Amino acid sequence: MFTFRTFIVARKGFALRTFATGVPSSSKAFTIPVIDFSKFQQAKSSAEKKQTAEEIVTAFKESGFVYLSNHGIPRDTVQTAFHKSKEFFALPSEIKDTLAWEDPRSNRGYVKIGRERVTQSADPAEIAALKEKAPDYKETYEIGREYDSEWQNQWPRAYDAPLFKHTMLDFFQTCHNLHVDVMRSIALGLDLGESFFDDKIQDQCHNLRLLSYPPIKSSLLVNDGQARAGAHSDYGTLTLLFQDSVGGLEVQNPHTKTFIPATPVPDTIVVNVGDLLARWSNDVLRSTLHRVVSPQGKQINDAEKVTPQRQSIAFFCNPNFNAEVSCLPNCGSPAKYPPVNAGDYIIGRLAVTYD
């Protein structure tokens, strides 16, 4: 039997934000808290810092997701990154196609609509069939660390995209710095010592992904399995997600398997646990399935709606690629997973995602 329940976004000192959904009556409330991260970054006492760290770890244990408010990245910085991202995707296809993504070891460049199909499968044949049947309806542009000696970023010409490179490199560094602080909060919340992860994430082996979900007739997104981005978990340690106001992100309630809207909260960053951090923590921290679906379309005639354009920016955080990921202290025993090299794991997952 189903009954009316709510999905709750809780914020300390603010009214609860609730979103209705139909879930089994026996389900637990599914909560993504809004956490004031300034209480960690600018803590007035060690107790306040520890309390905030524990709030983050508790949320990552329960839902795998948090909204971070007062995170220290200025609104203007985020808006500039969105503006330059929009300018890039507005370039002609013949320019963007010269920057095409080529190699999972590089994971840099432009990915056109339909080339990627995110999924939990690791079977290349199954992924190919999914891409044929229901590819992700989005285009992306991938940026890695600029100083890599082996793999170079693929930048558009300056006169095609003025200040694009400068903006994105600055944003990459800004996101890395925040990621370090969040990892320090996790370490403190797990009683590992605040600096535990510092020498394991310093190489900045991350991926800054710009995403554009073009307008599309809503009827084209109703095929079986079709979505703007299919259900998946992320590969690395953390993801920092910057959303626009359109919405479409949904998170799976791990208790009921129901997908629930993660409605955009202004001036926050959605942060979620990736598969490597879940593995590192022996599944103490939860890597949760999520997807991007079509929001309510705009009626263009009696028979058809158009889903609006959506933009987002994701910063996929990874350990150093030479780091060994094995069960953390304080995360139980026996270990569920054998040790794995972080770089091999990430590259292996990427290799089967693209054609």
Side-chain angles (χ1 to χ4, degrees):
M1 179 178 178
F2 281 71
T3 186
F4 192 72
R5 286 287 186 270
T6 56
F7 166 62
I8 303 170
V9 177
R11 186 172 188 175
K12 282 184 173 291
F14 293 83
L16 292 179
R17 300 168 60 88
T18 61
F19 305 95
T21 183
V23 298
S25 57
S26 61
S27 71
K28 300 178 181 179
F30 182 68
T31 304
I32 299 180
V34 180
I35 294 177
D36 181 350
F37 199 53
S38 68
K39 292 183 178 180
F40 181 85
Q41 293 174 312
Q42 304 167 31
K44 296 180 175 63
S45 67
S46 58
E48 182 179 56
K49 195 172 199 179
K50 176 70 169 175
Q51 180 181 349
T52 306
E54 289 175 346
E55 289 173 2
I56 289 171
V57 165
T58 297
F60 284 160
K61 288 178 178 179
E62 294 177 354
S63 68
F65 275 76
V66 299
Y67 293 89
L68 282 191
S69 66
N70 299 320
H71 41 71
I73 300 181
R75 180 186 300 174
D76 287 350
T77 299
V78 177
Q79 290 177 340
T80 298
F82 269 94
H83 177 68
K84 290 300 177 183
S85 175
K86 187 173 184 178
E87 287 183 346
F88 172 80
F89 288 115
L91 291 172
S93 295
E94 55 265 28
I95 293 177
K96 293 184 290 187
D97 288 344
T98 64
L99 307 169
W101 186 100
E102 295 178 344
D103 193 302
R105 294 167 295 174
S106 167
N107 195 27
R108 289 160 166 83
Y110 173 68
V111 181
K112 65 183 180 180
I113 294 172
R115 189 176 182 190
E116 181 185 25
R117 180 51 157 92
V118 288
T119 173
Q120 289 305 96
S121 175
D123 180 359
E126 182 179 353
I127 294 172
L130 283 169
K131 279 192 283 193
E132 179 68 26
K133 178 182 179 182
D136 291 345
Y137 196 78
K138 67 178 187 294
E139 54 182 338
T140 73
Y141 181 77
E142 318 290 333
I143 301 165
R145 61 184 184 182
E146 181 68 359
Y147 58 85
D148 196 293
S149 60
E150 185 173 6
W151 304 105
Q152 302 300 309
N153 284 311
Q154 301 191 67
W155 298 110
R157 295 168 298 190
Y159 60 83
D160 288 328
L163 296 178
F164 178 79
K165 177 179 178 179
H166 173 79
T167 298
M168 295 309 164
L169 287 179
D170 281 355
F171 197 65
F172 186 104
Q173 190 62 50
T174 296
C175 290
H176 168 73
N177 294 342
L178 176 60
H179 145 258
V180 170
D181 281 348
V182 178
M183 291 298 288
R184 287 174 176 170
S185 74
I186 293 169
L188 188 60
L190 290 174
D191 295 321
L192 296 172
E194 188 175 331
S195 62
F196 179 87
F197 291 110
D198 283 10
D199 63 353
K200 303 168 183 64
I201 58 175
Q202 63 190 8
D203 291 350
Q204 302 192 27
C205 301
H206 314 308
N207 174 234
L208 175 62
R209 164 175 276 201
L210 314 180
L211 298 105
S212 174
Y213 302 84
I216 182 175
K217 290 182 179 180
S218 300
S219 59
L220 298 178
L221 289 174
V222 298
N223 297 327
D224 182 33
Q226 183 76 60
R228 281 181 151 179
H232 64 284
S233 57
D234 296 335
Y235 305 156
T237 49
L238 295 172
T239 301
L240 313 181
L241 178 67
F242 303 81
Q243 300 190 83
D244 66 10
S245 61
V246 172
L249 175 66
E250 293 187 343
V251 178
Q252 189 183 68
N253 183 330
H255 309 295
T256 68
K257 310 306 179 184
T258 305
F259 280 92
I260 308 299
T263 301
V265 178
D267 298 323
T268 67
I269 303 170
V270 178
V271 183
N272 64 279
V273 173
D275 294 342
L276 267 182
L277 185 55
R279 183 179 181 129
W280 221 342
S281 71
N282 214 28
D283 288 334
V284 169
L285 307 180
R286 185 187 298 273
S287 181
T288 304
L289 283 177
H290 50 284
R291 66 186 183 187
V292 179
V293 299
S294 170
Q296 183 65 39
K298 179 180 179 182
Q299 200 79 39
I300 58 173
N301 56 46
D302 291 343
E304 188 64 87
K305 291 183 178 181
V306 170
T307 297
Q309 181 180 15
R310 177 181 186 261
Q311 275 188 279
S312 65
I313 299 175
F315 188 73
F316 295 107
C317 311
N318 298 314
N320 301 341
F321 272 11
N322 63 359
E324 180 183 88
V325 174
S326 57
C327 184
L328 293 169
N330 305 335
C331 285
S333 61
K336 296 181 180 180
Y337 308 100
V340 66
N341 172 268
D344 291 345
Y345 180 87
I346 295 292
I347 291 167
R349 292 288 299 270
L350 288 169
V352 297
T353 300
Y354 299 94
D355 56 19

